[in-house]
Amino acid sequence: MENQPSRNKTKRYFDTAPEKDEKTQNKNENVKVYTVKSTAKLLKIQKYKEQNLNRRKKAFINNNKIKKNFPNKAPIDPKKLELHSRGEGFTGQGVLHPLHLLKLKKREKKFKYAQEQAARADILLTEGQGYLEVDEDNRTTSINQKVIADNVDITAATKIFELNLDFGPYNAKYSRNGRHLLLGGKKGHLAAFDWVTKKLHFEINVMESIHDMSWLHVETMVAAAQKEWLYIYDNTGTEIHCVKKLDKILKMEFLPYHFLLATVNEYGFMSWLDISIGEIVGHYNNNMGRTSVMTQNPYNATVCLGNPKGVVSMWSPSSKKPLAKILCHKTPLTAVAVDNRGMYMATSGVDRSLKIWDIRNLDGPLQHYKLRSAPVHLEFSQKEMLAVALGNNVEVYSDCCITTTEKPYLRHRMAKEISNFKFCPFEDVLGIGTTGGFTSIIVPGSGEPNFDALESNPFQNKKQRKEAEVKALLEKIPAELITLNPFEVMEVDVPSMQDRMEARNSLLYLKPRNIDFTPKHKKKGKTNIARKKIIKDAARKKFINQSIEAKKILKQPEEDKNSKPKQSFGVLDRFVSKPKVKK
Amino acid sequence: MSNLKIKVISRNPEDYLRSTKRDIHKIPRNYDPSLHPLEGPREYVRALNAVKLERVFAKPFLGSLDGHSDGVSSLGKHPSRLSVLASGAFDGEIRIWDLTSRKCTRNFIAHEGWVRAICYTPNGQQFMSVGDDKTIKTWKAEIQDPDDEDPVNTLLSMSVVSGISHHRAKPIFATCGEHCQLWENTRSEPIKVFQWGVDSLHHVAFNQVETNLLAACASDRSVILYDFRESGPLRKVVMELRSNALSWNPMEAYIFTVANEDYNLYTFDIRKLRQPVNVHVDHTSAVIDVDYAPTGREFVAGSYDKTVRIFESLKGHSRDVYHTKRMQRLTCVKWTLDNKYILTGSDEMNIRMWKARASEKLGVLKPRERTALNYSEALKEKFSGHPQIKRIARHRHVPKHILNAQKELRTIKEKNKRKEGNKRSHSKPGSVPFVPERKKHVVKEDE
């Protein structure tokens, strides 16, 4: 039974009788055959050898016989690759176990592949960035809006327009997809419209002063900070909420991914209102005095506040104190702006200086400019152009962060005083709110030409907007995750783990302190040894009591979980069974 | 101004809007990281949502096969047809089920007393059953005419038979009882009888990869290995308590897992029986049956504590636990050969069908659905170490009796640990050694 030779049976390693080998030996007699016991290592070496041979063969073919234009994948521009990089990769050091090393290396390969793919996908982008070029003996500043309007196509030329309004000075804000514009006049005029088609959504006068206003997550809702409270209107101008928790607001910023409306009021209180649930998630006095210089850092959703002493502070709703503070100017600040990537911050003071800072490394200003007058407002565009409001002039600087620029890129002079301005997202447009209305000018090359439709889509219809709203609400980031480093949540929590263990150990396994036996005043009647013993015993008792209490504290949360809030039945309470007391 | 060059962004709406209402919307993408801020927190929230949805959709129970008039004692999988299942009951009845329609296609009384075990032949045309009446009966899997209802072959064993397992390819099968016996289909006497000691065996299983090997669980707490080419048994390992069932890993020929009476499962490597490769804990009562998934990565265990648990074969704790209010003590579990379902037979006459992955969506997935699921799967894995996400992913609601039993076991374990620690600290250093959990449960290995 056991030795039955079955012909169809697959061969196993333990079956002795190497018939097949002999056959092959006979067939090719001129080939030397070595009988080598194959091990995993040998097999691996063999595999590598074969691979190398094949590669060499292929390379040979490529070089000599077939000359292709693109033998391999097209090379990627290192700059683009750098753009999509998620930081320095894993080098392979410090990992003890080879298996983990292998796993991490595999993961690293995947990251690299993803980065390459993202860089390669740039070829699919349809639109090109705007620009303005003149010959060498001219300056770009000499090009005014009229020249630009004459030299661009008609649809683009319609983006230069002016609105003369009577309830100024006006604030202007674009919605996140750059399609809608909100205008708020100090004297109570509030208007929202699709500025591309010039279709008016609503126009009302709230009959109070308006200090600031903001779009909420969709273009159907706007918030306006009026004389007393914060009001929320829908796209027909109907008041839908009056938020009396927020009063006398000076400035506000909407954080779209957190659904938070960050505000600062006259008394120096910062508040964050979660507009999806209508609750205030943070309400702190900033202790910096009255200030209306405020902006958000889009990179990490912190709020930057400039104060009259020249200090810029960064705030998150989870901490009562600012996350970071920096003295930027020795004079009161007039404006703060942060660029889209969260790299640079521009500040200006009444001393007519403009400083550019690297936010992630607040060592010293990267650039320090002296201007003709103190800027009223600063604003970064999506492509890192900086607009500066100087009285009734707007100057736009390009490349002013890393390199020191001598001249502005564009200059626009107006007859009215500027109150604020905003770059329109995904357009080469700067919208300026002035004392006498609103002016829209073209700044070529300021906007991002290619939008991501899943993030913000200027062409979205109602249905898409509704869907995007639901998705955005599902992905609402909790307010606690606002930190200086937004990638903190993806990092390993090593120090805090260490801290926790140390704290726990220090509570549980505290060493009794050394006791000083030398008494301050000699007491008669007791020997030194007895006194020593008394002091020692007292200290030991104290220590034991301490450690017992520490243990109690450590155990407490578990017990708290078990005890549920009791339901009261009034008089019938005595029939409720009492929980057993554990000994 | 002769050389003035201006370009301004000016989009043609036609490039961005769909041409007709029936068209799909155009979604231009730009992967520039500056357009996608707060990547970390957003991914974290997505992962949190994904893991919550996973728990929401975790509805593993698919249905029950109702029909037996006594507890289900054994199940048999068809080797090539996914929809066929044979089940035997304590009253000697065998039922054949069509799993797609969840209906019984055939039922008959096969034995007097229990049907101890059922197994199909490798070609799937016949199946065999052993019962308390010391007979081994062979039946036709499908009946064309009424004569096929009767057993094709009935073998009478001299002693009690309590388990049966068929060879992967050859017409040989093994039964166990007082001894392990090897039979050939054509002969009425066993071709070989293996004996080791006097105690009886209650479960036998052929290795499906290394087809010459088989293993059996004996009631003297041992697990015995046989090679059917040899004349005697190969080796045995004696545990502290008896093993109830045994399952070979279908992918790694040298690995098997036993379900033990001491609430644990033990995975052994046959090359080193002295110490199990892994101890799988979590059950709160004796484990009755175990079956590997066809991938060899997971196995399912049914226990006397009225729960089914799914273990990953390399991990010590269960991945999931299934229970219902009405399910009583488990008697047999099977993992279907498409790696999608789990079948369990229990004391209260029902066979239950479960999904192997509790939150998996059954049926065909559309490509977008699949990519979304893959994405959330990757996110879950990426953030699996986060305390919030870990907590949600790990949480399982279990019946009160299980929870209480778990608590009790935990206190017992802590007590033993404390006691041992005290003993260690009050005796000569080195006299109370640290014994790893894996070594505690094996008494000895015999050759």
Side-chain angles (χ1 to χ4, degrees), chain B residues 351-365:
Chain B
I351 299 165
R352 288 190 167 76
M353 257 171 96
W354 310 82
K355 283 191 262 183
R357 282 164 293 277
S359 57
E360 190 189 32
K361 195 194 166 208
L362 295 180
V364 184
L365 288 178

Side-chain angles (χ1 to χ4, degrees), chain A residues 1-2 12 14 83-84 86 125-128 130-135 142-143 147 151-153 155 159 257-258 298-300 341 426-428 442 444 447-455 459 461 464 474-478 481 486-487 489-490, chain B residues 1-13 15-18 25-46 49 170 172 184 191-192 209-212 228-231 368 381-383 386:
Chain A
M1 180 67 211
E2 288 104 79
R12 299 286 185 201
F14 48 77
L83 182 75
H84 292 281
R86 296 290 190 279
L125 301 179
T126 48
E127 302 279 341
Y131 52 81
L132 174 61
E133 280 171 16
V134 290
D135 44 358
S142 63
I143 310 292
V147 179
N151 283 285
V152 296
D153 57 313
T155 46
K159 287 168 188 168
Y257 295 105
H258 303 77
Y299 172 68
N300 54 16
R341 288 189 293 157
F426 309 113
E427 293 282 356
D428 287 341
I442 286 182
E448 169 66 48
N450 296 294
F451 59 86
D452 190 304
L454 294 187
E455 199 72 55
F459 293 96
N461 59 18
Q464 281 175 310
L474 279 176
E475 281 166 21
K476 186 181 92 169
I477 306 172
L481 291 182
F487 290 93
V489 73
M490 296 166 88
Chain B
M1 291 285 160
S2 53
N3 285 333
L4 178 65
K5 276 192 209 164
I6 300 182
K7 185 177 179 282
V8 175
I9 298 168
S10 170
R11 299 192 185 88
N12 186 0
D15 299 341
Y16 294 94
L17 296 174
R18 54 180 179 173
H25 289 289
K26 285 177 180 168
I27 306 288
R29 299 300 310 272
N30 186 354
Y31 298 102
D32 186 349
S34 70
L35 292 182
H36 304 271
L38 301 164
E39 191 182 86
R42 284 166 80 187
E43 275 194 346
Y44 170 72
V45 172
R46 277 178 200 167
N49 287 344
K170 289 179 186 168
I172 294 172
E184 207 161 356
I191 50 172
K192 205 171 276 182
V209 184
E210 210 57 84
T211 47
N212 296 323
F228 84 78
R229 297 164 297 188
E230 307 260 340
S231 54
R368 276 174 69 188
E381 206 232 308
K382 183 175 179 182
F383 287 93
H386 261 268

Side-chain angles (χ1 to χ4, degrees), chain A residues 6 49 119 143 174 203 212 307 322 335 340 385 431 442 456 487 582:
Chain A
S6 54
K49 272 183 186 169
I143 310 292
Y174 288 100
E203 187 176 24
D212 199 8
N307 85 335
N340 243 10
M385 286 189 180
I442 286 182
S456 50
F487 290 93
K582 279 177 191 172

